Amino acid sequence: MKVASMLTVFAASSFSVVIAKHQHIHLGGLEHQHIHHRGRALSTVDNGYALNGKKAAIGKRTGQCQFPEDAGLVAVAGSSNGGWAMSPDECCEPGGFCPYACPPGELSMQWDPKATSYTYPQSMVSKHGGLFCDDDGKIKKPFPNRPYCVKGTGNVGCRNKASSNVAICQTVLPGNEAMLIPTNVETLATLAIPGPEYWAGTAAHFYVNPPGVSAEEGCVWGTADKPQGNWAPYVLGGNAVEGGETFIKLGWNPIYLEPATPFRDEKPTFGIEIECNGDACNGLPCAIDPSQHGVNELVGGGGSTGAGGALSCVVTVPAGSSAKFVVTEAGGSGSASITAPASQQSGTKATATPPLVIQSSIPSGAAYTHITAAAFGLTALAALAVFAL
């Protein structure tokens, strides 16, 4: 791929979906090539967020800035990353910025002050997120008056109705955009949804692993051997805008639909439905239920066809209201059992008026290459045109 083509990918990723009342959901594409992440070590966490009784194995090496273990942060394990939210073989070196993971429901508020927009390379490189590591090997806050982490909007969560835990993995942004930040949901957890003050006005993006996959197994770049990690079937996104409205998105993972993915024709064993308190939300129903629909089908509207033809739906949560992504086992007692009106079934494609059953053929062809699961931004046409170069 030519350099110009690569830059086109990153430049095209600042995409917004226009929805109700001409508001915009900034679930811009986190389109980056599926490199630098294969074969990484598994991630666990520390600082009170150890999973399954295991603590993070944090490698410490000289010549690096040490992770602040007393700051209430979540340490990401790796052979060389020292606890930072970086790939296992990356390290926090003097002269660079080092991303870190916050506890579930919270967002990092430290990044390179010069990185002010979601454009390459500021958005895609670890050196632009987190704390600054000075030449003496000491960490410094780029914004001294800000805390390390702040709570997100607090009005969006995940309820787990499945029989096992559900590992939800947030991508590191600004950072290398690997899905390293874990939220392990046993019954109910708050997701870290940013407001307009978050970095460059960007949204949060998450991968949802099948029930029973631990966070240390799922919150890591994996392989196509299993439908977990970056090959998990579903992705989520969300952000709030001025005025208090929150936009949340549920979609299929483009990588799950890749022609080379061995399980691309297999229905997942679980589904997800968006529920709101009361009837104030706009865009319901928005759900994926494999017991009723096939691969790359969902119930909903207001979303888009993303990279590789992956479908999604968007829900608007008014100010003062809340919503949850509800995980259920497909066809189980907690399954959503949502059906669109008869007039909108039989393979009807998306229109401007939800609800409806959205269907699409699974993408095929050599043009579809490795893009990340958080690929909400590029249209299928743009993605295929770029990657065909």
Side-chain angles (χ1 to χ4, degrees), residues 12-84:
S13 63
S14 56
F15 174 83
S16 297
V17 179
V18 181
I19 53 181
K21 298 181 181 179
H22 303 287
Q23 295 290 341
H24 292 71
I25 179 168
H26 297 285
L27 298 177
L30 302 186
E31 307 275 0
H32 65 284
Q33 291 245 297
H34 193 192
I35 55 177
H36 303 308
H37 300 292
R38 290 184 178 271
R40 301 304 190 192
L42 302 182
S43 298
T44 54
V45 295
D46 202 353
N47 288 318
Y49 292 90
L51 303 175
N52 298 331
K54 299 178 182 179
K55 286 202 171 184
I58 304 172
K60 293 184 179 181
R61 297 171 58 186
T62 58
Q64 301 180 27
C65 276
Q66 299 299 314
F67 182 77
E69 297 183 11
D70 59 349
L73 306 178
V74 174
V76 175
S79 59
S80 301
N81 64 12
W84 299 97

Side-chain angles (χ1 to χ4, degrees), residues 139-155:
I139 56 173
K140 294 182 177 179
K141 285 183 175 181
F143 301 98
N145 295 327
R146 293 183 184 176
Y148 289 105
C149 304
V150 297
K151 293 184 181 298
T153 59
N155 65 335

Side-chain angles (χ1 to χ4, degrees), residues 359-375:
Q359 302 189 38
S360 176
S361 59
I362 301 176
S364 61
Y368 190 94
T369 188
H370 294 293
I371 53 179
T372 67

Side-chain angles (χ1 to χ4, degrees), residues 139-184:
I139 56 173
K140 294 182 177 179
K141 285 183 175 181
F143 301 98
N145 295 327
R146 293 183 184 176
Y148 289 105
C149 304
V150 297
K151 293 184 181 298
T153 59
N155 65 335
V156 178
C158 176
R159 181 177 297 281
N160 179 15
K161 292 185 177 181
S163 58
S164 302
N165 74 290
V166 172
I168 297 179
C169 311
Q170 185 173 353
T171 59
V172 183
L173 183 71
N176 64 6
E177 298 192 56
M179 16 75 76
L180 303 176
I181 303 175
T183 296
N184 190 53

Side-chain angles (χ1 to χ4, degrees), residues 262-290:
F263 41 80
R264 66 192 296 261
D265 295 321
E266 299 176 12
K267 292 184 181 183
T269 59
F270 71 107
I272 303 179
E273 176 190 5
I274 295 179
E275 291 184 352
C276 293
N277 62 330
D279 56 0
C281 290
N282 181 37
L284 295 176
C286 175
I288 300 174
D289 184 358

Side-chain angles (χ1 to χ4, degrees), residues 38-293:
R38 290 184 178 271
R40 301 304 190 192
L42 302 182
S43 298
T44 54
V45 295
D46 202 353
N47 288 318
Y49 292 90
L51 303 175
N52 298 331
K54 299 178 182 179
K55 286 202 171 184
I58 304 172
K60 293 184 179 181
R61 297 171 58 186
T62 58
Q64 301 180 27
C65 276
Q66 299 299 314
F67 182 77
E69 297 183 11
D70 59 349
L73 306 178
V74 174
V76 175
S79 59
S80 301
N81 64 12
W84 299 97
M86 303 166 74
S87 295
D89 60 357
E90 288 186 282
C91 57
C92 180
E93 298 178 334
F97 287 83
C98 305
Y100 54 87
C102 293
E106 298 185 17
L107 298 153
S108 169
M109 289 301 291
Q110 301 290 333
W111 51 75
D112 183 354
K114 295 180 180 179
T116 58
S117 63
Y118 184 65
T119 54
Y120 181 78
Q122 285 83 2
S123 65
M124 308 297 291
V125 182
S126 297
K127 302 303 181 183
H128 293 278
L131 305 176
F132 182 71
C133 179
D134 69 15
D135 292 337
D136 296 324
K138 297 181 180 180
I139 56 173
K140 294 182 177 179
K141 285 183 175 181
F143 301 98
N145 295 327
R146 293 183 184 176
Y148 289 105
C149 304
V150 297
K151 293 184 181 298
T153 59
N155 65 335
V156 178
C158 176
R159 181 177 297 281
N160 179 15
K161 292 185 177 181
S163 58
S164 302
N165 74 290
V166 172
I168 297 179
C169 311
Q170 185 173 353
T171 59
V172 183
L173 183 71
N176 64 6
E177 298 192 56
M179 16 75 76
L180 303 176
I181 303 175
T183 296
N184 190 53
V185 186
E186 295 291 347
T187 54
L188 182 65
T190 300
L191 297 182
I193 303 298
E197 73 284 350
Y198 188 59
W199 178 75
T202 53
H205 298 262
F206 309 85
Y207 296 64
V208 185
N209 287 281
V213 176
S214 67
E216 55 264 66
E217 294 173 320
C219 295
V220 64
W221 231 253
T223 68
D225 295 336
K226 299 177 181 179
Q228 63 188 51
N230 54 310
W231 267 274
Y234 311 132
V235 288
L236 313 176
N239 73 303
V241 296
E242 297 287 350
E245 286 184 308
T246 303
F247 302 100
I248 55 178
K249 193 166 187 175
L250 166 64
W252 283 86
N253 177 357
I255 292 181
Y256 191 91
L257 309 176
E258 274 192 327
T261 300
F263 41 80
R264 66 192 296 261
D265 295 321
E266 299 176 12
K267 292 184 181 183
T269 59
F270 71 107
I272 303 179
E273 176 190 5
I274 295 179
E275 291 184 352
C276 293
N277 62 330
D279 56 0
C281 290
N282 181 37
L284 295 176
C286 175
I288 300 174
D289 184 358
S291 69
Q292 300 185 52
H293 309 115

